[in-house]
Amino acid sequence: MLLTTTSRPAWHRAAAPAGATGITVASAFALLVLVGAVQVLANTEYTHLGWLPISLVGAFSLVAGAVLGMGAGRALPSALTPPALAMGAFVFTALMGGLLGRTETHTPTGIPITEPNQVSLLSPAVQEVRDVLVTLSASVHIGQTIWLLGMAATGFALLVAGTPRARLIALTPILAGALTALLVLPSDPRRMYVVDEAAAELVCDGPVCVTKTHRNRLAGLAGPGRKALRLLHDALGGQAPVAVRENATVLPDGSAPQWSRRTVLFDFDDNIIAAAKGEELTRALIVKGMVPGCSPLLGSGGTFDVSDAVAQSVAEGWVLGDLEPLGGTVILSRDQTAMADSVWKKLKALPRAEQVSRINAMRAAAVSCKGDPLAELDGGASR
């Protein structure tokens, strides 16, 4: 004899709508990911599978949220339940990504910043990653999956529960999932967002190297990079850098940059590098080899130091033999241009040996981020 709908177990009756809803929302999310994947694959030479766990967790968050919403609607049947759940989800996301999900700290340079904490990772919307070489760590994926499993289990239990006591017991999985997830999720922001080692692997053309992520830009960089190294060697001799390399070191917000005297380190997001090509790119690499800049890193845009910009202009002019305005978005005001012109004239009036001495002192201060490069160029007169 066939079983009627009412004679089937409660979990069996709940599984069909929960499964159908899960498949629907997961399929819709997969379609969005597929559209994005086609656009990315059509415009890049570097592909990897690092997006897969992030996408799976994203899809699972939609499924878990949908099942939890269904369970809440079954437990609290009312016309007000859907809008109340929507508003609750909005408030939860805002709190997790805002006040509850941020901790104020101070960087080694004394700059106060807010950083994400464990609680923020319970939100379906994590903090935006500010660097192309950074990704979420495995412990974040595992912790978020545990939390979402608890949500889904509670939602399904609420669909099955038929008494107030059973509904209270159904809350156990989501509470246990939250507590377990907080034990698994990393507390240090540097362990939440980690460098993708595969993406940061270097690809080189002689002394010029970029990360695998940007290997399609190596051809346009190799020529200007070699020319910049040659000009730097002509000007600095044995003190000149011998390689040009994309900076694959990702530092926390507020940290002072770390540079090398023997390698010209650059970032494709740097204002003077981003859109530069040909001769302009050669000049930009010379600037990065002479005065790379020591403003603390604050977000993707960083900060701008006028003294560094003036020193960059003078140092580039010294290598090329003529003072010219910097490219990119670094535009000096009339007063700053006059300051650069004054320092330039004083420097060029000195004997060659004294010029080299000041340039070397300037580079030492610029690379170590200790001291004022402009003051070294000006013989201590600046500032």
Side-chain angles (χ1 to χ4, degrees), residues 27-201:
S27 299
F29 183 79
L31 180 61
L32 290 176
V33 173
L34 180 61
V35 171
V38 170
Q39 294 176 339
V40 170
L41 292 175
N43 294 281
T44 184
E45 293 184 9
Y46 173 68
T47 58
H48 60 93
L49 296 178
W51 57 270
L52 187 57
I54 298 175
S55 298
L56 290 176
V57 172
F60 190 30
S61 69
L62 293 177
V63 174
V67 175
L68 182 62
M70 292 174 64
R74 170 76 169 76
L76 300 170
S78 169
L80 297 178
T81 299
L85 290 176
M87 182 57 68
F90 174 79
V91 172
F92 174 82
T93 302
L95 288 176
M96 293 301 100
L99 296 178
L100 296 180
R102 295 288 182 269
T103 301
E104 184 169 329
T105 61
H106 286 77
T107 67
T109 57
I111 297 176
I113 59 172
T114 55
E115 294 183 316
N117 58 32
Q118 291 166 298
V119 177
S120 70
L121 297 175
L122 297 180
S123 167
V126 297
Q127 182 187 33
E128 181 182 358
V129 175
R130 68 176 177 84
D131 194 287
V132 70
L133 301 178
V134 171
T135 188
L136 291 167
S137 65
S139 58
V140 171
H141 299 320
I142 295 171
Q144 290 180 332
T145 299
I146 293 172
W147 160 238
L148 295 173
L149 281 171
M151 286 178 56
T154 287
F156 190 78
L158 288 173
L159 283 172
V160 174
T163 64
R165 177 185 174 87
R167 292 181 185 121
L168 286 175
I169 295 175
L171 298 178
T172 302
I174 194 171
L175 296 176
L179 292 175
T180 306
L182 289 175
L183 293 175
V184 174
L185 292 169
S187 58
D188 186 348
R190 288 170 293 183
R191 292 178 53 235
M192 297 178 190
Y193 302 93
V194 296
V195 175
D196 185 336
E197 299 295 340
E201 183 180 342

Side-chain angles (χ1 to χ4, degrees), residues 259-336:
W259 306 113
S260 168
R261 297 189 68 171
R262 303 300 290 169
T263 303
V264 177
L265 297 173
F266 71 94
D267 191 318
F268 281 114
D269 291 331
D270 193 307
N271 289 331
I272 64 173
I273 297 289
K277 295 180 180 180
E279 290 299 319
E280 187 179 353
L281 181 55
T282 297
R283 293 178 57 201
L285 292 173
I286 290 173
V287 167
K288 299 301 291 183
M290 297 294 285
V291 186
C294 288
S295 299
L297 303 171
L298 294 174
S300 59
T303 57
F304 175 68
D305 188 291
V306 171
S307 177
D308 280 350
V310 174
Q312 288 173 342
S313 180
V314 175
E316 179 207 19
W318 187 82
V319 172
L320 297 178
D322 190 18
L323 186 64
E324 296 182 14
L326 288 174
T329 60
V330 181
I331 302 175
L332 300 182
S333 68
R334 181 178 300 178
D335 291 342
Q336 294 155 5

